Amino acid sequence: MSALLLVAGVVVGVAFVFHHVVVRGKRCVSKAKLHGKTVIVTGSNTGIGKTTAIDLAKRGARVILACRSTQRGEAALHEVKMESGSNEVVFMQLDLGSLKSVRRFAETFLKTEPRLDLLINNAGVYMQGKTEDGLGLMFGVNHIGHFLLTNLLLERLTECGPSRVVTVSSVGHNFGTVDFDCLNTHKALGQGNSFTDVLKIYCDSKLCNVLFTHELAKRLQGTKVTCYSLHPGAINSELARNTSSLLQTLMKPVTSFFFKNTVQGAQTTLHCALQEGLEPLSGRYFSNCTVRDVYPKAKDAAAAKKLWELSERLSGLA
Ligand SMILES: NC(=O)c1ccc[n+]([C@@H]2O[C@H](COP(=O)([O-])OP(=O)(O)OC[C@H]3O[C@@H](n4cnc5c(N)ncnc54)[C@H](OP(=O)(O)O)[C@@H]3O)[C@@H](O)[C@H]2O)c1
Ligand SMILES: *[C@@H]1O[C@H](CO)[C@@H](O)[C@H](O)[C@H]1NC(C)=O
Ligand SMILES: *[C@@H]1O[C@H](CO)[C@@H](O)[C@H](O)[C@H]1NC(C)=O
């Protein structure tokens, strides 16, 4: 009996330590204050975007919540103000699945806001479909929308340097590829609708985030703008909302124990946005608040350049 209790005690203890050390991961330790600075967080009405916005607002930044749904965006505006105790929070509508909406957002922002110090490309979807402009949904929202947004805001970021562009990718980029033939014919990274197709295309779009950051850093050399991509961890968020409800039910025990909450999930984004002295690491990829090496395919200069040029055409920039 007492042996059983001992075993149970050890199991609970190990689980506790595992959860509090490994699952939680490192925290952003920067004490940076952001009074007088302006930041944009895309997809900040829920998930880690919202907790990132709350943290930045607490540090004194003027925070622009760039969200696609006016209803969800305004609800988040209220919540972010309440939780941060700051009134310097603004909602501006942005649908990354519409090139017109991205252009309209940038125009409004540039007209009404004099500064931009931090651009956090956080929004993401895990779902098949097409954007308004006929692009694959995950390619269009996760990559092209952020590509266009960043380019339209680059001049303002440059004027306000030192400034940063932080793009939320995923460890899943390791399983991704960029099929340029498919992009050229279908404006999408893949065509299928099966469970594995959707997963693969999501990973492909996250590889685009890493390659985009790699190429952006090169183009920003000599300016005071730096950029970073990152894996936030496995997080209990709404990202899997479009997967089957059976899968979601089966995953529930796993996600509640092994996944980070959204405050823990925001830490690597905050690290990339705030940590002093990261500038020499511009273009690199982070995870658990630590810079990481990536596979050759995720720092392939030729692929990154090719993706940039294709993105210029597909977003109407070139
Ligand atoms: N959760 C994880 O385990 C995990 C792991 C690795 C990487 N990530 C990445 O982390 C980022 C944040 O995800 P999350 O986990 O916080 O997911 P989430 O809870 O689903 O939040 C995603 C956010 O993106 C927004 N969004 C989706 N489509 C958009 C569009 N067309 N235009 C503007 N905003 C749009 C959503 O708005 P609506 O609410 O209106 O849809 C929502 O605010 C994503 O880039 C994701 O790929 C997540
Ligand atoms: C994150 O880093 C901390 C501190 O180095 C470590 O204890 C933890 O296991 C790491 N977590 C993950 C998921 O890598
Ligand atoms: C996922 O989204 C697609 C496209 O909007 C929809 O047709 C499908 O029913 C959704 N699936 C689930 C399980 O939510």
Side-chain angles (χ1 to χ4, degrees), residues 127-129 137 241-245 248:
M127 195 190 299
Q128 264 295 46
L137 188 65
R241 61 179 105 168
N242 189 243
T243 56
S244 85
S245 47
Q248 288 187 46

Side-chain angles (χ1 to χ4, degrees), residues 43 45-48 68 72 94-97 122-125 141 168-170 202 206 231-235 237-239 241:
N45 56 275
T46 185
I48 58 175
R68 66 170 154 182
R72 281 163 77 83
L94 167 67
D95 181 355
L96 290 157
N122 164 82
V125 278
V141 171
V168 182
S169 175
S170 167
Y202 173 77
K206 293 286 135 180
H231 169 59
I235 303 137
S237 72
E238 294 187 54
L239 192 65
R241 61 179 105 168

Side-chain angles (χ1 to χ4, degrees), residues 14-26 258 260 288:
V14 167
F16 182 84
V17 170
F18 178 78
H19 196 265
H20 280 254
V21 177
V22 181
V23 175
R24 177 161 61 182
K26 280 203 202 172
F258 291 99
K260 297 180 185 199
N288 201 17

Side-chain angles (χ1 to χ4, degrees), residues 162-177:
S163 54
R164 296 184 184 182
V165 179
V166 177
T167 301
V168 182
S169 175
S170 167
V171 69
H173 84 270
N174 285 311
F175 308 103
T177 50

